[in-house]
Amino acid sequence: MDKRTLYDSFTKLELETEATLHQITSLKKGVEELVEENAVLRIENQHLRDRLDDIEKQQRIDEAAIEPEMTKSRMNLEKLYEDGFHVCNVFYGSRRVDDEPCAFCLDVIYGERR
């Protein structure tokens, strides 16, 4: 192998190595950007999950404050009323004609809870 061919081979190898190095540097920069973006998105996602949990907790608190649950006895009275019977002390046990509403029954079931 003569000197010129050897020199040309080294030059070609050097150019290919520089091109490869440039490609590796470019890929490394792309990976760094992706890793940084991923970290930012993970943090943002965690903040959004925390915020969603806070909102759901507040909604549960608001729902509990707005409408307390009925006692089991009131739920039984409500079921009897829906089945068409009076549950008030005025007409207790009698059938409601045509399922007409009764203010006394509704007061017993849904009235002020003590």
Side-chain angles (χ1 to χ4, degrees), residues 77-85 96 101-102 105-106 109:
L77 291 175
E78 180 182 47
K79 186 175 181 323
L80 286 171
Y81 181 77
E82 289 172 358
D83 287 341
F85 295 96
R96 292 186 299 130
C102 174
C105 291
L106 294 174
I109 297 170

Side-chain angles (χ1 to χ4, degrees), residues 37-51:
E37 182 181 5
N38 190 21
V40 169
L41 290 174
R42 283 179 187 267
I43 291 169
E44 182 180 359
N45 195 13
Q46 187 59 46
H47 286 296
L48 290 172
R49 283 188 178 134
D50 293 343
R51 179 68 179 131

Side-chain angles (χ1 to χ4, degrees), residues 1-18:
M1 194 187 268
D2 66 2
K3 293 178 187 179
R4 181 76 176 152
T5 308
L6 187 59
Y7 182 77
D8 287 343
S9 295
F10 273 119
T11 305
K12 183 179 175 187
L13 183 60
E14 182 182 15
L15 291 174
E16 289 174 357
T17 305
E18 286 176 1

